[in-house]
């Protein structure tokens, strides 16, 4: 055996393989020391490289974040983007997310800045308006006030100052009170608006009562005219066509009065007009005839089924599938987001309970009808035809109380929708007043049409409003004897 300090080696000498014994203890010690040094150097080098790499990566990433990112409205649109597949989720690193977040943040900052700019401009306009008011330049002051309100329609100070201007300079207490109430809806503890609102509230209530008493007197005067009065029959007939014309016109129908009359009377098509426009007219005609035949003279409560029957005829020619059916999807109406489809049945049941409640029935019929219109259109239970159905329900209530049905002029659609929007903020009085004014105007036209002076002027044009006496408006054939067979209101 060999000793521990000896090593057996193979050596090639003169082409002969020989075994030799060598001393290796010292050589082994030297080799081990060298290996340890190499391992240590490799470890130190690895750590250094890792540290330097980490620092370099952070530096590069920070530099990339500071680089300007091209941005435009076209780059970041609000569209529905489906979730990417799992394999592509890891493509986006932190820097990409940071860029997206910075763009979103920039857009929000721009919106806030724009709002701040609008408010600043509105306040400037307000100060100028107050200066014009003190200088006695009322026309300029009005324009500046209106400009300020248009720029900042939710600013309580602007609304309150404009109300004060309307009250003290224009003597319009009702409109002034509306602006005071609107200011309080955005800032309930606004001291100036609160004092002004309380001061004008009683005056406004008395003015509203006077209007309703005046309307009642005119209704009674119209009721005193015999049903067989030839002028009244002609007025009812004209009002029937006026009602259809203006009601579908509010919704965007482009038929004129003569074309509307031709479709209702002859059922003939008008060249150049869409099928839907024809069907809207036919649907409204069917709904009005149904109300006249079944609901106007009926004694009893108003049910959800009655409303569905009206809607089924309104939409029956346009969309028979949706006619008489509650919507099953969410809809959006300008700035108003109606309740979801899952709440409609419950809300309509509550609405029907309110319609037949003693509190509602004891209201003045004009107020009751206007509120019924607003409540139904606010729920927006149908996919289409909500406005037409709401106006028909309103007029049915008015006719049951002996008032003529109200025709809302298509030219007044902006005021009509504006008052509905104001009602959504919490003040429904402007909308009730609007309906009351339309009712009074209708009564005036009926009284004028049945007076002896009406024979001295030409026939009324298509922009004229009419209403019915008693509780119906008649659509008659050429024979005047059949005039009262088909009756109704304005949509």
């Amino acid at each position: 055996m060999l000793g521990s300090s000896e090593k057996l080696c193979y050596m090639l000498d003169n082409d002969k393989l020989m075994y030799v014994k060598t001393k290796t203890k010292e050589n082994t010690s030297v080799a081990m020391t060298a290996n340890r040094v190499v391992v240590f150097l490799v470890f130190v080098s690895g750590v250094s490289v890792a540290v330097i790499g980490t620092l370099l990566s952070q530096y590069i990433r920070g530099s990339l974040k500071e680089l300007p990112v091209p941005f435009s409205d076209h780059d970041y649109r609000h569209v529905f983007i489906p979730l990417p597949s799992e394999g592509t989720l890891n493509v986006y690193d932190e820097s990409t997310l940071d860029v997206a977040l910075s763009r979103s943040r920039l857009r929000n900052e721009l919106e806030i800045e724009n709002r701040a700019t609008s408010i600043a401009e509105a306040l400037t306009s307000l100060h100028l308006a107050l200066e014009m008011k003190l200088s006695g330049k009322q026309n300029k002051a009005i324009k500046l006030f209106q400009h300020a309100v248009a720029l900042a329609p939710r600013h309580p100070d602007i609304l309150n100052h404009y109300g004060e201007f309307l009250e003290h300079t224009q003597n319009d207490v009702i409109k002034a009170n509306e602006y005071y109430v609107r200011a309080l809806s955005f800032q309930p503890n606004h001291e100036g608006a609160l004092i002004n609102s309380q001061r004008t509230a009683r005056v406004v209530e008395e003015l509203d009562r006077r209007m309703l008493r005046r309307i009642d007197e005119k209704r009674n005067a119209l009721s005193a005219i015999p049903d067989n009065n030839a002028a009244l029959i002609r007025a009812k007939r004209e009002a029937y066509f006026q009602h259809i014309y203006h009601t579908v016109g509010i919704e965007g129908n482009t038929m004129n009065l003569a074309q509307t009359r031709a479709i209702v009377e002859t059922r003939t098509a008008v060249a150049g007009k869409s099928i839907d426009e024809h069907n809207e007219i036919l649907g409204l005609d069917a709904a009005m005839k149904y109300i006249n035949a079944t609901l106007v003279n009926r004694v009893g409560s108003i049910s959800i089924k009655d409303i569905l029957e009206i809607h089924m005829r309104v939409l029956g020619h346009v969309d028979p599938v949706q006619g008489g059916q509650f919507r099953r999807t969410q809809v959006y109406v300008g700035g108003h987001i109606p309740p979801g489809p899952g709440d409609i049945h419950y809300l309509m049941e509550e609405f029907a309970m309110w319609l037949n409640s003693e509190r509602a029935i004891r209201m003045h019929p004009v107020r009751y009808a206007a509120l019924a219109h607003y409540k139904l259109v606010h729920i927006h239970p149908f996919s289409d035809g909500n406005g037409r159905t709401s106006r028909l329900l309103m007029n049915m209530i008015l006719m049951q109380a002996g008032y003529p049905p109200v025709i809302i002029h298509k030219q007044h659609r902006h005021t009509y929708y504006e008052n509905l929007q104001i009602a959504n903020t919490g003040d429904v009085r402007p909308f009730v007043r609007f309906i009351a004014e339309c009712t009074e105007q209708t009564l005036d036209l009926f009284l004028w049409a049945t007076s002896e002076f009406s024979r001295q002027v030409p026939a009324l044009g298509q922009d004229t409003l009419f209403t019915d006496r008693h509780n119906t408006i008649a659509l008659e054939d050429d024979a005047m004897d059949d005039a009262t067979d088909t009756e109704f209101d304005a949509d």
Side-chain angles (χ1 to χ4, degrees):
M1 294 182 61
L2 299 177
S4 61
S5 61
E6 295 179 349
K7 184 177 181 181
L8 182 64
C9 298
Y10 293 99
M11 299 185 64
L12 185 63
D13 185 22
N14 297 326
D15 297 330
K16 293 182 180 179
L17 186 61
M18 298 182 299
Y19 292 99
V20 297
K21 297 178 181 177
T22 60
K23 300 282 186 178
T24 60
K25 184 174 183 179
E26 295 179 0
N27 293 338
T28 301
S29 177
V30 173
M32 290 178 64
T33 302
N35 289 338
R36 290 172 181 170
V37 172
V38 171
V39 171
F40 177 78
L41 291 176
V42 171
F43 174 78
V44 172
S45 299
V47 172
S48 301
V49 171
V51 172
I52 294 172
T54 301
L55 294 175
L56 184 61
S57 175
Q58 292 179 352
Y59 173 79
I60 294 174
R61 183 174 298 170
S63 299
L64 288 175
K65 289 181 181 179
E66 295 176 357
L67 291 176
V69 180
F71 173 73
S72 67
D73 290 338
H74 189 69
D75 293 333
Y76 190 69
R77 294 170 295 178
H78 293 284
V79 297
F80 181 82
I81 304 175
L83 185 67
S85 62
E86 186 176 351
T88 61
L89 287 175
N90 295 327
V91 171
Y92 307 99
D93 59 12
E94 285 186 4
S95 61
T96 306
L97 293 176
D98 287 343
V99 171
L101 290 174
S102 65
R103 291 178 179 179
S104 177
R105 192 179 301 113
L106 175 61
R107 183 175 292 271
N108 292 335
E109 290 174 356
L110 289 174
E111 291 177 355
I112 295 173
E113 183 178 352
N114 289 335
R115 286 197 298 270
T117 302
S118 297
I119 292 175
E121 184 179 348
L123 291 175
T124 301
S125 181
L126 172 64
H127 293 316
L128 292 174
L130 293 174
E131 291 179 3
M132 293 298 103
K133 175 184 174 182
L134 293 175
S135 302
K137 300 177 181 179
Q138 295 185 13
N139 291 334
K140 291 184 178 180
I142 290 175
K143 293 180 180 179
L144 289 167
F145 273 121
Q146 292 174 343
H147 181 62
V149 172
L151 289 173
R154 295 171 172 266
H155 199 289
D157 290 336
I158 294 175
L159 296 172
N160 183 59
H161 279 296
Y162 187 34
E164 292 175 342
F165 175 80
L166 292 172
E167 179 185 359
H168 301 299
T169 307
Q170 304 296 305
N171 296 320
D172 192 344
V173 181
I174 292 178
K175 203 68 178 177
N177 180 263
E178 291 178 8
Y179 277 95
Y180 299 148
V181 172
R182 200 183 307 181
L184 291 173
S185 67
F186 300 121
Q187 186 176 334
N189 59 348
H190 192 282
E191 184 176 357
L194 190 60
I195 295 173
N196 290 331
S197 175
Q198 292 174 346
R199 185 187 69 255
T200 56
R202 292 185 178 180
V203 179
V204 170
E205 289 175 3
E206 178 58 29
L207 292 174
D208 287 343
R209 281 194 291 267
R210 289 181 186 177
M211 172 182 277
L212 294 178
R213 286 197 296 266
R214 190 168 62 244
I215 290 175
D216 288 344
E217 292 173 358
K218 293 179 180 180
R219 177 201 60 180
N220 295 337
L222 186 60
S223 299
I225 300 174
D227 289 337
N228 60 355
N229 181 283
L232 180 61
I233 293 173
R234 285 194 300 270
K236 286 185 176 183
R237 178 177 175 82
E238 179 64 21
Y240 188 90
F241 298 116
Q242 291 273 349
H243 169 73
I244 296 177
Y245 163 70
H246 285 289
T247 295
V248 298
I250 287 177
E251 308 296 336
N253 194 296
T254 62
M255 296 281 188
N256 60 34
L257 180 59
Q259 292 167 338
T260 302
R261 183 190 297 268
I263 292 172
V264 173
E265 289 184 321
T266 67
R267 296 299 198 265
T268 56
V270 177
K273 300 297 182 179
S274 69
I275 295 176
D276 281 348
E277 287 184 310
H278 287 79
N279 287 335
E280 287 171 356
I281 293 172
L282 295 175
L284 200 61
D285 177 48
M288 292 165 66
K289 288 177 178 176
Y290 169 76
I291 291 176
N292 283 328
T294 61
L295 300 180
V296 169
N297 297 313
R298 191 187 70 182
V299 178
S301 61
I302 303 172
S303 66
I304 295 178
K305 184 177 183 297
D306 295 331
I307 298 173
L308 292 176
E309 290 288 343
I310 295 172
H311 182 261
M312 182 174 67
R313 288 160 176 80
V314 167
L315 216 62
H317 290 78
V318 179
D319 191 349
V321 176
Q322 295 295 330
Q325 301 292 326
F326 292 140
R327 59 181 167 86
R328 298 180 179 86
T329 58
Q330 181 63 54
V331 293
Y332 303 90
V333 188
H336 171 57
I337 302 178
D343 298 327
I344 290 178
H345 285 275
Y346 167 74
L347 292 173
M348 286 300 293
E349 289 176 358
E350 277 199 336
F351 175 60
M353 291 178 60
W354 175 84
L355 275 176
N356 301 295
S357 66
E358 182 180 358
R359 176 185 177 187
I361 294 173
R362 292 179 61 182
M363 291 180 182
H364 189 281
V366 172
R367 177 175 173 79
Y368 175 35
L371 289 177
H373 175 309
Y374 169 70
K375 287 176 178 290
L376 183 59
V377 82
H378 184 80
I379 297 173
H380 224 76
F382 308 111
S383 59
D384 190 19
N386 293 277
R388 283 163 282 173
T389 303
S390 299
R391 292 191 291 276
L392 288 171
L393 175 65
M394 173 185 71
N395 281 325
M396 183 191 76
I397 293 173
L398 286 173
M399 289 188 292
Q400 287 179 340
Y403 295 82
V406 173
I407 302 173
I408 300 176
H409 242 236
K410 60 181 289 186
Q411 287 83 355
H412 298 158
R413 61 176 298 179
H414 175 73
T415 305
Y416 170 62
Y417 287 127
E418 182 182 30
N419 286 320
L420 282 173
Q421 292 175 356
I422 293 174
N424 287 336
T425 66
D427 188 4
V428 76
R429 296 174 306 162
F431 181 71
V432 175
R433 293 187 190 110
F434 173 75
I435 297 301
E437 290 169 359
C438 291
T439 303
E440 184 173 18
Q441 184 180 8
T442 301
L443 284 164
D444 287 340
L445 289 170
F446 261 99
L447 292 172
W448 173 84
T450 54
S451 69
E452 57 179 326
F453 303 104
S454 64
R455 300 177 183 178
Q456 302 175 10
V457 296
L460 296 176
Q462 69 179 36
D463 293 336
T464 305
L465 296 181
F466 276 106
T467 53
D468 139 301
R469 100 126 194 101
H470 254 8
N471 27 15
T472 56
I473 287 183
L475 170 63
E476 39 184 351
D477 297 327
D478 293 337
M480 292 176 58
D481 294 339
D482 300 329
T484 57
D485 291 343
T486 50
E487 2 175 283
F488 183 71
D489 89 292
D491 170 40

